[in-house]
Amino acid sequence: RTEALGQSSRVACKRRLLPGSSPSSLAVLPPPWLFSLLTGCPPSSLAVLPPLQVTSGETPVERHQWGDTSGVTPVERHQWRLQRRHQRRRQQWRPQQTDPRIENRSPIMAKLFRAVILGPPGSGKGTISGRIAHRFALTHLSSGDFLRENITAKTEAGILAKTYIDRGLLVPDHVITRLLLTKLEEMTRHSWLMDGFPRTLAQANALNSTCDLDLVISLNIPFETLKDRLSERWVHPASGRVYNLGFNPPRRQGRDDISGEPLIQHEDDKPEALVARLRHYKDQVKPVIDLYKSKSILHTFSGTETDRIWPYINSLISTKIPSISQTVTQHAPLP
Ligand code: G5P
Ligand code: MG
């Protein structure tokens, strides 16, 4: 029984040994058999020993923390609960584990990155923009996709734009500028890549008045190559996924790889609209190219194959922003 009492008092000692309490105050307590030998008290009298008092650094709140609620007043209990609540909040507010892509690009993205990609219809703007957006985590904005969304939604601008697009003509400057600048206002906190805007000097000046561009990529692709590509292009209207019967054909003919839904050919990819688009492009874009050249932000890439041009664009952008593929170990294949 004495041994049992000794055990329980040692357990009690351990439980009450709180940070700040002095272990020396426990060292003076002899084991029960020695206590009984020294004091002459029969071992049975140990049962009525007063509870162990460890005073140094121990408050009722701290005792409560160790499960000992004796002597804790309602005020102290309230204090204890407040303490716990603060602890829990501190844990909740600890920064969440961040996406390594965001973490790694944060020093760069402290300054937002804004780029434009120029090129004739079918030059691969959409394909290359998809790769840049994927690799460098930029938001891809496409004027063509944006117009098509408006056409599908039958907005006023969309209905008007359709009458131009179907004829292979550019949508009037004031319509496209208003649409896109409104969109850009929502993007003030994002880094983005604009595909297909600006196409005229008036559009370039409007863009210039709202933001400073860091980089302009211009694609220079031979006319014959463009004609061949566009007549073979099919798209999945719901997602905007683009296929080319020669370059990246769908797995099942005429069907989207992911949804299995039917693919369509844009009205403006049909031969009659196509030639007009290519003819107009050159005249319209020349002053835009000259403007960006004068600002020393223009980089031109020439070739007949996107896959050959891409490594050059990739290394150019890598010098400006870190590629997320260097930091994320696993990523989906490039589009
Ligand atoms: P869009 O939609 O901006 P466009 O005319 O600028 O249309 P488009 O047709 O979207 O140009 P792209 O984005 O330059 O072409 O090229 P892409 O889609 O990546 O590639 C074309 C095809 O070639 C695809 O099938 C692709 O798979 C394939 N391809 C890519 N690389 C290769 C390769 O190396 N080899 C092969 N074999 N194939 C490849 O604008 C549509 C209309 O909206 C109006 C205009 O009316 C315009 O016509 N619009 C504006 N109007 C006024 N101002 C603006 N800023 C406007 N923006 C749009
Ligand atoms: Mg495009």
Side-chain angles (χ1 to χ4, degrees):
R1 182 151 175 236
T2 314
E3 189 55 25
L5 277 167
Q7 288 273 355
S8 68
S9 63
R10 270 197 293 277
V11 168
C13 293
K14 277 185 192 155
R15 274 185 56 204
R16 290 170 188 207
L17 183 58
L18 298 168
S21 66
S22 159
S24 60
S25 60
L26 302 170
V28 295
L29 191 73
W33 61 268
L34 183 59
F35 189 89
S36 138
L37 198 74
L38 291 173
T39 59
C41 295
S44 57
S45 65
L46 290 176
V48 292
L49 275 177
L52 184 66
Q53 291 294 324
V54 181
T55 50
S56 169
E58 188 187 18
T59 66
V61 172
E62 282 169 339
R63 284 211 307 280
H64 193 175
Q65 194 172 3
W66 287 76
D68 182 357
T69 51
S70 62
V72 178
T73 65
V75 175
E76 286 163 343
R77 191 169 302 128
H78 180 65
Q79 220 181 330
W80 156 245
R81 285 196 186 125
L82 282 180
Q83 221 175 18
R84 284 298 307 265
R85 200 176 303 158
H86 281 296
Q87 271 171 4
R88 272 201 300 269
R89 287 211 182 131
R90 237 178 282 137
Q91 276 164 4
Q92 279 167 9
W93 284 100
R94 193 179 298 149
Q96 299 294 312
Q97 196 175 3
T98 48
D99 179 347
R101 292 185 290 185
I102 295 166
E103 214 172 33
N104 280 295
R105 70 194 167 101
S106 57
I108 300 293
M109 293 303 166
K111 185 202 173 298
L112 295 171
F113 186 82
R114 270 80 195 265
V116 156
I117 184 161
L118 305 174
S123 56
K125 297 186 297 297
T127 307
I128 289 173
S129 298
R131 292 184 185 187
I132 295 174
H134 176 82
R135 182 140 292 178
F136 297 96
L138 301 180
T139 303
H140 173 200
L141 303 167
S142 156
S143 59
D145 288 350
F146 197 47
L147 285 170
R148 282 185 282 274
E149 277 168 27
N150 274 271
I151 292 172
T152 311
K154 294 195 166 54
T155 64
E156 199 184 328
I159 293 166
L160 179 66
K162 189 172 181 336
T163 61
Y164 290 86
I165 293 177
D166 286 351
R167 286 180 288 150
L169 299 174
L170 288 187
V171 173
D173 286 336
H174 69 275
V175 177
I176 186 82
T177 304
R178 193 159 45 106
L179 276 179
L180 282 172
L181 295 192
T182 312
K183 181 83 183 162
L184 289 184
E185 274 169 23
E186 297 164 16
M187 304 289 301
T188 49
R189 289 160 159 267
H190 294 80
S191 292
W192 46 253
L193 170 69
M194 178 68 88
D195 152 14
F197 181 91
R199 290 192 199 212
T200 65
L201 190 58
Q203 294 177 19
N205 287 332
L207 184 61
N208 221 12
S209 64
T210 59
C211 68
D212 287 327
L213 294 175
D214 298 286
L215 174 70
V216 177
I217 294 168
S218 170
L219 302 177
N220 185 19
I221 314 294
F223 181 84
E224 278 306 314
T225 309
L226 299 174
K227 236 172 62 176
D228 292 347
R229 278 186 197 176
L230 290 181
S231 52
E232 297 207 317
R233 175 168 67 176
W234 289 78
V235 295
H236 176 239
S239 68
R241 276 185 285 278
V242 179
Y243 298 89
N244 182 282
L245 301 184
F247 178 63
N248 61 332
R251 280 198 284 270
R252 208 149 48 101
Q253 203 186 347
R255 296 275 163 180
D256 178 47
D257 285 352
I258 312 276
S259 65
E261 287 168 356
L263 300 176
I264 59 146
Q265 197 173 29
H266 288 316
E267 282 302 316
D268 53 350
D269 279 351
K270 292 182 179 161
E272 48 293 1
L274 192 59
V275 178
R277 279 167 77 195
L278 293 176
R279 202 168 345 109
H280 281 121
Y281 174 79
K282 240 184 166 161
D283 301 339
Q284 304 272 14
V285 86
K286 183 152 187 336
V288 180
I289 300 257
D290 291 343
L291 173 74
Y292 291 135
K293 214 184 264 176
S294 72
K295 288 174 168 278
S296 309
I297 50 173
L298 183 81
H299 294 259
T300 303
F301 298 87
S302 305
T304 54
E305 286 172 50
T306 297
D307 285 347
R308 285 185 175 239
I309 293 174
W310 166 243
Y312 294 97
I313 296 180
N314 185 23
S315 63
L316 169 72
I317 302 180
S318 299
T319 62
K320 302 190 182 288
I321 45 178
S323 154
I324 60 165
S325 67
Q326 289 160 11
T327 55
V328 176
T329 44
Q330 284 192 337
H331 59 87
L334 285 169

